[in-house]
Every structure is written in structure tokens, then in C-alpha cells.
Amino acid sequence: MMDFETEAGILHYLQSRDKTRSIVAVKKLSGGNANYVYRGTIAEPCTDLFGGRSTVVIKHAADHSASNRQMALYGDRMAFEQTALGVVAEASDNKNNNNKEDENIETANVKVPRVLYWDHENNIVIQEDAGIKSTHLKEFISSLAQPPKPRLAKEIGSSLGEFIARLHLYGFRHRSELYPEKMANTEALGLSRLILYDRFPKAASKYMEDQPQFDRDVIDLASKWGGDRLMNEPETLAHGDFWPGNFLVDTAIGEGNEITIKRMYIVDWEMSRYAPAAMDLGQFIAEAFSLNKYRHPCEELMTSFLETYCKIYGDRLTTTDLKTAVIHCGGHLMSWTPYTGWFKEDDGHDAKTKEITLIGAEFIKRAWIEDWAWVRQETAFRVMIDHLKL
């Protein structure tokens, strides 16, 4: 049995196959939790092998998490990533849409990596490399010496909002072609419910003991309601893990020595599925909220994202979508933010965990009772509220 979990093992695999033998060196990349991810170097780039590229990214999906072998995962998840990437590429390359601009999913500067090689039997995919100097958006913003200028935050937010709105619009229009035959991904739906909605009660319990009974009951009700929506309402094609760690950013220095975005790649599509569109929004806003709170002020990242999204997909948005997005956001803040490196273990961790848990719980309660005046006053979701004229 071949070893795909080490550099030596994956290189041995690559060297044993004619189509991948030109890859002569690999280096494991950090940042991936679910999969084993490597950058491969090609000895003599030529157009016949990987399109003349000098580096590629190699991913292997095992039956467990790469960061936690005790966490079982479904090994076939890479098949859904490969399918989703193909859908986005085909739509954006105008192969099947009669050159209709509004059928494109990719934007001028937001792309997906192209699939260059796919071994279904071993769950190995080789993809286009976003670039040796690329970094994910969470790391990019966190590493800045000063807060991003409003122009830059708006550019990033608007670009991402346009991309995910185009994806949702395409998925909605082409549902009969893609669902359920190609993109049901019931395993991803079940996993998402398990690691988010089903975690609401446990995440809240320790820090809500002194809260009113109604507030605690709402957490349980929202947990079931959101989980049921996820499992039973295949609205459109959703990314399923739409957070800044999955946006690879390639930057440049523009006029006045200002940072500009050359392009962003949206990666890690194995959780893609047909589900409510608003859940992608909720996850992004939760992570952008954390960037704004724990790293650098960047409110414009959230508002420009939602403004652009509403312009493109807004005709299909309802109050239920708003409720879903805010609950998903609050649940993410409770269930994930305290445990994903936003603040250090020895830096008042328990107090900060309680604070963000109660913030998330407040989001959930206000959405549950549809207190849109509070949501509008306190959160970036005011953009959706104004769009819906609530």
C-alpha cells in the first residue's frame, strides 16, 4: 500500500506514473486540516505537461483528517471538489453558455484552480498553483502592519461577494443539471451539520448558565432549525466552506506604494453541495467579523461583500435567508472562533471565549425572534436588511 501522507511517499507515487513523472520534488504545505497538501516542482516545464507550469499543488484525501487521524472523513470527498471545480471552470470558460457574460462564475480577479490530473482510485488531485508567494486571506490581513485601507478592504469584499453570488446564481439556474446526480454530496451535508449546528448547545452551555432560560432554549431551537434547513433545502450550489483560509491571495504593489490584489483563488471545494445560499454568507461574515475584532478593523470587507452579493443574487433573498445567515454566523462565532487561533490559550482565553460565545448567542437570539432593528444596528447584516426593506 502506497504512502500518500509523507513527502517521500507522495513523490514515490508521482515518479511511478508517466503523467506525473516530471514532478521531481515536493514540499508539504501548512494550513490544510482535512487533506494532505503538497507543492510539486516540475523539472523541465513544457506545454504538454501541466500546461508549462513550473509548480503545481497536489492533494490527497485520506479516510481521516490530516490534522487529526482520529477524526474519520469520507475518502470520496475529493470527487466532489473535482466536479465543482469543473463546473466553475466550464461556466467561466464559456463552453456551454453561448458566451453569456452573466453565466460566468469567475470574475476579473477571483478564480478557481484548474484541475490538471485526477486519480479517483487513490483520491489524488493535481491542481494549478496559486503561486509560491500567495497566502490565504486570513493570514494576509493578520500580517499587515496597519489595518487595510478601506479601498483595499472594499476591493476584496466586493470581489468575493461577486464571485459567490455568481456561483449561487449559476447553481440556481442549473439545478436540474447538477442536482442530485452530480452535486448532492450528502456526506458533506451530514458533516457540516455535525461540526456546526449540532455543536450549538455544547458550545453555549458552559457560558450561558447565568442567561435567561429563553435564551438557552433558543440555542437548541436554532440548532435543529438550521440543521434541518441544511439537510432538506437544496437551494443552490454552495461552496460549503467559504472562509478566508480558503481564499489564496496574490498581491502586487501599485501606485503610491499601495497593495493591490492581482487575483484570488477560491480553493478547497470538497464540502460543496446543494444547500441554502445564506449559509455561505453566514460563514464568511463570521470570519470577517473575527478579522475585524481580533486582527485589524475592516468593516468594509463585510459591507462591500454583502452589498455586491445583494446586487447580483438579491432578487432571490428572503427574510428566511437573512435569518439563516445571521444564525449561521452566530453559531460559527460560538462553535469555531474560540478554537481556531483567534486568541492565544494563555491570553485570557476563557474570558474571551465567553465573550465571543455570548456575542454569537445574541446574534442567534435576535435572528430567531426577528429583531431586525437590533441586527441592523449592531451588525453588517444591515446591508441585507436594507435590501429587503425590513
Side-chain angles (χ1 to χ4, degrees):
M1 185 174 181
M2 298 197 78
D3 168 25
F4 304 124
E5 300 177 10
T6 64
E7 292 176 353
I10 198 72
L11 183 59
H12 176 71
Y13 163 84
L14 295 168
Q15 289 286 295
S16 69
R17 282 160 168 74
D18 290 339
K19 291 184 178 180
T20 59
R21 192 168 291 145
S22 60
I23 301 173
V24 296
V26 297
K27 181 177 178 58
K28 185 174 284 188
L29 300 178
S30 61
N33 292 315
N35 304 311
Y36 295 90
V37 185
Y38 309 86
R39 173 172 284 119
T41 301
I42 298 169
E44 298 179 0
C46 67
T47 55
D48 292 338
L49 293 170
F50 304 119
R53 295 170 175 85
S54 59
T55 62
V56 292
V57 170
I58 305 131
K59 298 176 66 174
H60 167 62
D63 60 1
H64 57 268
S65 167
S67 61
N68 179 7
R69 295 183 65 89
Q70 304 306 310
M71 182 178 179
L73 294 174
Y74 60 106
D76 205 35
R77 61 190 181 276
M78 201 65 73
F80 288 97
E81 168 159 288
Q82 188 265 354
T83 300
L85 288 173
V87 167
V88 177
E90 278 197 22
S92 301
D93 291 342
N94 289 320
K95 291 178 180 177
N96 298 312
N97 59 23
N98 297 319
N99 294 318
K100 293 180 181 177
E101 173 64 25
D102 63 357
E103 285 281 86
N104 291 349
I105 298 174
E106 291 180 321
T107 73
N109 63 353
V110 183
K111 311 292 183 182
V112 301
R114 295 310 191 252
V115 175
L116 307 173
Y117 172 87
W118 167 232
D119 177 353
H120 194 175
E121 180 182 357
N122 291 302
N123 289 315
I124 291 175
V125 65
I126 298 178
Q127 299 175 356
E128 183 180 7
D129 190 354
I132 294 175
K133 295 183 179 180
S134 64
T135 184
H136 61 71
L137 182 61
K138 179 179 176 179
E139 182 179 334
F140 168 68
I141 291 180
S142 298
S143 66
L144 294 174
Q146 301 292 332
K149 293 190 175 182
R151 177 201 58 76
L152 179 61
K154 288 179 181 178
E155 178 187 359
I156 295 171
S158 179
S159 296
L160 291 169
E162 181 181 2
F163 175 88
I164 198 64
R166 287 186 177 191
L167 177 73
H168 292 164
L169 188 61
Y170 186 92
F172 183 85
R173 289 172 171 171
H174 295 268
R175 180 165 51 190
S176 61
E177 304 162 30
L178 299 174
Y179 180 86
E181 183 176 349
K182 294 181 179 180
M183 290 303 305
N185 205 355
T186 54
E187 294 91 345
L189 292 169
L191 180 59
S192 291
R193 181 170 195 165
L194 177 68
I195 64 177
L196 183 69
Y197 288 102
D198 289 353
R199 291 176 64 171
F200 283 15
K202 183 178 180 181
S205 60
K206 178 180 178 181
Y207 300 103
M208 293 191 69
E209 293 175 347
D210 58 349
Q211 300 300 305
Q213 184 64 46
F214 175 79
D215 292 27
R216 287 178 280 155
D217 289 344
V218 163
I219 298 298
D220 293 337
L221 293 168
S223 170
K224 184 178 185 308
W225 182 82
D228 287 348
R229 281 212 79 206
L230 173 67
M231 300 301 294
N232 299 314
E233 299 190 30
E235 175 192 342
T236 191
L237 180 59
H239 181 277
D241 199 13
F242 200 69
W243 74 290
N246 286 336
F247 314 149
L248 298 181
V249 182
D250 190 9
T251 61
I253 302 299
E255 293 183 10
N257 211 34
E258 288 193 6
I259 298 172
T260 61
I261 302 297
K262 289 170 62 179
R263 61 182 174 271
M264 289 185 282
Y265 281 92
I266 310 301
V267 300
D268 286 355
W269 288 77
E270 63 253 34
M271 297 294 284
S272 56
R273 68 292 187 98
Y274 263 71
M279 293 178 179
D280 277 343
L281 309 187
Q283 183 176 13
F284 176 80
I285 295 299
E287 288 285 316
F289 179 93
S290 298
L291 280 169
N292 184 67
K293 180 174 176 61
Y294 298 115
R295 297 296 185 264
H296 288 301
C298 52
E299 174 84 7
E300 296 86 359
L301 181 66
M302 293 181 275
T303 54
S304 63
F305 172 84
L306 291 173
E307 284 167 359
T308 304
Y309 184 88
C310 287
K311 288 177 183 176
I312 297 171
Y313 199 73
D315 290 347
R316 290 162 182 79
L317 291 175
T318 66
T319 304
T320 300
D321 297 317
L322 172 63
K323 183 175 181 177
T324 301
V326 179
I327 287 175
H328 193 101
C329 176
H332 188 95
L333 293 174
M334 289 195 315
S335 303
W336 283 96
T337 301
Y339 313 106
T340 49
W342 285 109
F343 35 86
K344 298 178 181 178
E345 291 289 339
D346 59 351
D347 188 21
H349 189 276
D350 194 64
K352 290 182 177 180
T353 297
K354 181 174 183 178
E355 179 194 26
I356 197 64
T357 298
L358 293 180
I359 289 172
E362 193 71 12
F363 274 45
I364 292 172
K365 182 182 79 171
R366 298 294 181 170
W368 187 258
I369 63 176
E370 300 190 3
D371 183 356
W372 304 131
W374 183 93
V375 174
R376 189 184 189 286
Q377 178 68 31
E378 300 295 332
T379 79
F381 288 108
R382 62 181 175 274
V383 174
M384 288 181 72
I385 292 171
D386 289 347
H387 176 81
L388 292 167
K389 296 181 171 58
L390 297 177

